[in-house]
Amino acid sequence: MATVSIRDLDDGVRDRLRVRAARNGRSMEAEMREILTAAVTDDGPQYPDFVSMLIDVFHDVGGVHLEIPAREAHPGPVEFRS
């Protein structure tokens, strides 16, 4: 097993890591191992971007077809109501 040191870790990151570890019932060290392992484990298809992932996930349900209205050259002023 290897040993890794992380220098200059932001205090806020450390604090959030401590809270996350506590929520998961693990030590900070065990939580970091879990995070690193999950980050490098190939658990399924990798997508180049969010849209590609959505297309793949919703492909089987037929997707959503939206009618896109024509764009006006000058839509005019925007009216805000409160």
Side-chain angles (χ1 to χ4, degrees), residues 17 20-21 24 26-35:
L17 180 61
R20 178 177 165 155
N24 292 321
R26 293 190 274 256
S27 67
M28 284 179 57
E29 184 177 344
E31 189 68 20
M32 286 186 271
R33 276 194 301 270
E34 183 65 28
I35 291 168

Side-chain angles (χ1 to χ4, degrees), residues 1-68:
M1 291 268 156
T3 300
V4 177
S5 295
I6 302 174
R7 293 185 182 95
D8 300 324
L9 184 65
D10 184 84
D11 290 342
V13 172
R14 181 204 58 218
D15 295 342
R16 289 189 303 273
L17 180 61
R18 181 181 296 134
V19 169
R20 178 177 165 155
R23 281 189 198 141
N24 292 321
R26 293 190 274 256
S27 67
M28 284 179 57
E29 184 177 344
E31 189 68 20
M32 286 186 271
R33 276 194 301 270
E34 183 65 28
I35 291 168
L36 290 171
T37 300
V40 298
T41 301
D42 184 14
D43 285 351
Q46 300 296 313
Y47 300 101
D49 54 50
F50 184 67
V51 173
S52 298
M53 185 271 305
L54 288 176
I55 290 169
D56 186 48
V57 168
F58 292 103
H59 178 266
D60 293 337
V61 295
V64 175
H65 301 283
L66 301 174
E67 184 177 324
I68 300 174

